[in-house]
Amino acid sequence: MAKHVVITGANRGIGLNLCHQYRAKGYHVTAVVRQASEELKALDVTIISNIDVANEGDIVALQSQLHGHKIDLLINNAGVFHNESIADMDFAAINQQLAVNAVAPIRVTHALIHSLGIDAKVAMITSRMGSIADNGSGGYIGYRMSKAALNAASVSLAHELKDKKIAVGLFHPGFVQTQMVNFAGDISPEQAAERLTQRIDELNLENSGGFWHSNGETLPW
Ligand SMILES: NC(=O)c1ccc[n+]([C@@H]2O[C@H](COP(=O)([O-])OP(=O)(O)OC[C@H]3O[C@@H](n4cnc5c(N)ncnc54)[C@H](OP(=O)(O)O)[C@@H]3O)[C@@H](O)[C@H]2O)c1
């Protein structure tokens, strides 16, 4: 039977390209979106729409739509990116980033945990901007906080889920040419997705809880 991957934030950018990659590898792909793009609709994937990952009721709806479906891989990819500093502050944006980037991946994982069987994997698409050791330039207060919080929570998940034989990995995609960064970046979303699938293939119970760049380097906390 084909393996089943569930991907959030799947309508564009890295998430859309992860859908492509996993279809090409023969997976059954469930794409979770607020609203499906034409590019996503053109793929041979199952689409679950009207899911805002930061909305508790939407995650209950997601859970019921996936009830009884075994999941081999959950990729928490949806994210938002803003920039705040003391000189240019936006607390609403900070709260939104915490809700979408840090709390939502945990809420989604919690909602779907009974569908994740032995040897399933959870991939968190985080950012090296969540690394405190790597912060050499400052700014981006909310984004950095949110990804650092996601990293902290994911290591706890990795410990807790080891008994269930579920591995949890934290993956920085690279600086990727998507809408999030106004299509700047030094690699394409296709390349990022290809690298991420390789890194996710390498994730196992022994290295669970690790934090990697999609190029394979281990990142500092
Ligand atoms: N691009 C980079 O250089 C880079 C670097 C490091 C980490 N990342 C991470 O990579 C992941 C994917 O980003 P991307 O570059 O592909 O950005 P993107 O093109 O902006 O895509 C972001 C995706 O997240 C979804 N999303 C945002 N808020 C959501 C919400 N509340 N509920 C449901 N879906 C939501 C968006 O859906 P809508 O279309 O509905 O808005 C979109 O599908 C993010 O976690 C990001 O932090 C990206």
Side-chain angles (χ1 to χ4, degrees), residues 103-158:
V103 180
I106 305 307
R107 196 191 291 283
V108 171
T109 307
H110 176 257
L112 301 182
I113 197 72
H114 297 301
S115 298
L116 293 162
I118 284 179
D119 292 332
K121 299 182 186 187
V122 178
M124 302 294 194
I125 307 304
T126 181
S127 170
R128 72 185 304 163
M129 289 180 73
S131 166
I132 295 167
D134 191 60
N135 184 351
S137 53
Y140 304 95
I141 288 176
Y143 190 73
R144 291 186 190 281
M145 285 168 73
S146 67
K147 294 294 191 179
L150 172 63
N151 291 356
S154 301
V155 173
S156 281
L157 274 188

Side-chain angles (χ1 to χ4, degrees), residues 9-15 34-35 51-54 77-80 100-101 125-128 143 147 172-181:
N11 58 321
R12 58 183 159 96
I14 297 165
R34 291 193 279 205
Q35 195 175 8
I51 305 294
D52 180 329
V53 292
N77 164 75
V80 284
V100 175
N101 298 348
I125 307 304
T126 181
S127 170
R128 72 185 304 163
Y143 190 73
K147 294 294 191 179
H172 167 67
F175 184 32
V176 189
Q177 291 143 357
T178 65
Q179 191 173 312
M180 179 168 282
V181 295

